[in-house]
Amino acid sequence: MSDEDGVSPEVLRMIQEAQERMTEEVFEETLRSQAHVEPDDLNVLLDVLALGITNSAWRNSCVENWHAEGRLSDGDMMRINTYTTDGIRRRLTGWTTEFGITSASSAALEEVDGEDADVLAGRLFRWLTNPGRKLPVGMTLGELARTKEDLNEYEDHADRSLGAFVGQMEDRGVRFGLLRTACHGALACAQWWLHPTWPDRVERFVSVLDSPTDTHWGPDGAWRKKLGAEPPAVHDRGVLRATLLKAPWKLDGGAAEWITSAGIGYVQAAVSAEAPSATTSG
């Protein structure tokens, strides 16, 4: 026999058992051991929470399809994703402050209830789906979407994603839901801006720019040679470092494209015999 949705009782039991094994303690240990994130530190937790929300409600949507279609380059995605992460992080700060969460400890999140979480999700949804929202690449969200159908597709995705985000908090508690999404951000977005490892990634990346024989560039520095001349915005290493650390979305298009092609997302990974293709970081 099976339930009305065609799922057998055995499968339902397995799902329930798996869900029961997911606890705040499990998420906290995962953050500490797998991502080197201290879950009791509210600021760090909100950083990776912003990453998790951005990844789920923005990047892993039809936006990625638009990227694959050529509407956005790798450099564009880097700038838009970091700008979106920053916007969500700012709204998380405003939300916690409004509800009196001023302690440095994330334990204060236990005082927040489901209705408060609804307020947060509503604000994020309105900001993310605003067709007039100006993106750092010079166009609005509406212009990027191009058609009402495509914009509606993104709105539907954001609604489902944020609905699931709130739903888990209503079912298991606000702190549980926030920790779960923070785990997603910490583990799935380890190469992104605002991740705790990002400063080390930036330092490593800036250092290899002046080391053409570094293993990052592959055998005989082949990858570095294929990149071509550095754009002007990359020349001043100090300014480049500061921009990457504080606001990567402020890079100009040429610099962002060159940096993603140079593999900032790979600098801490082992280099294979053949340099990997460019990736989008953050």
Side-chain angles (χ1 to χ4, degrees), residues 125-200:
F125 177 80
R126 288 190 294 273
W127 181 71
L128 284 167
T129 62
N130 177 8
R133 180 164 64 96
K134 192 67 175 283
L135 304 175
V137 294
M139 68 180 80
T140 65
L141 173 61
E143 290 168 339
L144 172 62
R146 296 183 181 175
T147 67
K148 181 174 177 56
E149 290 74 19
D150 279 4
L151 182 60
N152 287 342
E153 182 182 0
Y154 173 65
E155 290 177 348
D156 288 344
H157 173 90
D159 185 51
R160 291 193 305 273
S161 176
L162 293 170
F165 172 62
V166 171
Q168 63 188 3
M169 289 189 274
E170 292 175 343
D171 291 342
R172 302 289 296 273
V174 171
R175 193 165 186 272
F176 173 92
L178 296 180
L179 284 169
R180 183 175 182 176
T181 303
C183 273
H184 171 81
L187 299 178
C189 307
Q191 298 172 320
W192 286 33
W193 174 79
L194 210 60
H195 192 279
T197 60
W198 180 253
D200 289 341

Side-chain angles (χ1 to χ4, degrees), residues 251-265:
L251 291 164
D252 63 58
E257 201 64 35
W258 193 91
I259 288 166
T260 54
S261 295
I264 190 170

Side-chain angles (χ1 to χ4, degrees), residues 11-280:
V11 170
L12 288 175
R13 183 187 64 78
M14 294 172 63
I15 292 173
Q16 182 178 1
E17 290 179 352
Q19 290 174 336
E20 289 173 352
R21 286 196 295 271
M22 291 189 295
T23 64
E24 290 185 18
E25 292 73 22
V26 168
F27 292 138
E28 289 172 343
E29 178 56 29
T30 299
L31 285 167
R32 291 190 181 100
S33 63
Q34 302 298 318
H36 307 294
V37 169
E38 177 47 62
D40 289 332
D41 186 325
L42 181 62
N43 282 327
V44 176
L45 184 67
L46 292 181
D47 285 347
V48 291
L49 177 60
L51 289 174
I53 296 172
T54 301
N55 191 245
S56 295
W58 171 254
R59 184 189 180 278
N60 288 346
S61 69
C62 54
V63 173
E64 182 59 25
N65 295 334
W66 300 343
H67 173 212
E69 292 168 6
R71 299 189 201 184
L72 298 167
S73 67
D74 286 346
D76 291 337
M77 286 292 281
M78 178 187 186
R79 289 193 290 163
I80 292 176
N81 290 345
T82 54
Y83 149 83
T84 303
T85 303
D86 178 69
I88 289 175
R89 180 63 172 87
R90 290 176 185 275
R91 282 156 180 80
L92 287 171
T93 299
W95 177 72
T96 54
T97 301
E98 179 179 343
F99 288 99
I101 304 172
T102 56
S103 168
S105 172
S106 67
L109 293 170
E110 295 176 357
E111 304 301 319
V112 183
D113 60 29
E115 290 184 3
D116 301 335
D118 277 333
V119 170
L120 171 63
R123 291 174 182 173
L124 293 175
F125 177 80
R126 288 190 294 273
W127 181 71
L128 284 167
T129 62
N130 177 8
R133 180 164 64 96
K134 192 67 175 283
L135 304 175
V137 294
M139 68 180 80
T140 65
L141 173 61
E143 290 168 339
L144 172 62
R146 296 183 181 175
T147 67
K148 181 174 177 56
E149 290 74 19
D150 279 4
L151 182 60
N152 287 342
E153 182 182 0
Y154 173 65
E155 290 177 348
D156 288 344
H157 173 90
D159 185 51
R160 291 193 305 273
S161 176
L162 293 170
F165 172 62
V166 171
Q168 63 188 3
M169 289 189 274
E170 292 175 343
D171 291 342
R172 302 289 296 273
V174 171
R175 193 165 186 272
F176 173 92
L178 296 180
L179 284 169
R180 183 175 182 176
T181 303
C183 273
H184 171 81
L187 299 178
C189 307
Q191 298 172 320
W192 286 33
W193 174 79
L194 210 60
H195 192 279
T197 60
W198 180 253
D200 289 341
R201 182 176 297 278
V202 169
E203 289 302 320
R204 168 78 173 131
F205 178 72
V206 172
S207 71
V208 303
L209 293 181
D210 295 315
S211 303
T213 60
D214 190 280
T215 54
H216 172 71
W217 303 117
D220 300 319
W223 188 8
R224 182 70 169 85
K225 295 172 184 176
K226 292 179 181 178
L227 284 173
E230 296 177 0
V234 177
H235 292 167
D236 189 322
R237 306 294 195 235
V239 172
L240 174 63
R241 179 185 291 105
T243 303
L244 287 171
L245 289 174
K246 296 179 180 179
W249 58 92
K250 293 185 178 180
L251 291 164
D252 63 58
E257 201 64 35
W258 193 91
I259 288 166
T260 54
S261 295
I264 190 170
Y266 291 104
V267 288
Q268 292 183 333
V271 178
S272 61
E274 184 175 329
S277 59
T279 189
T280 302

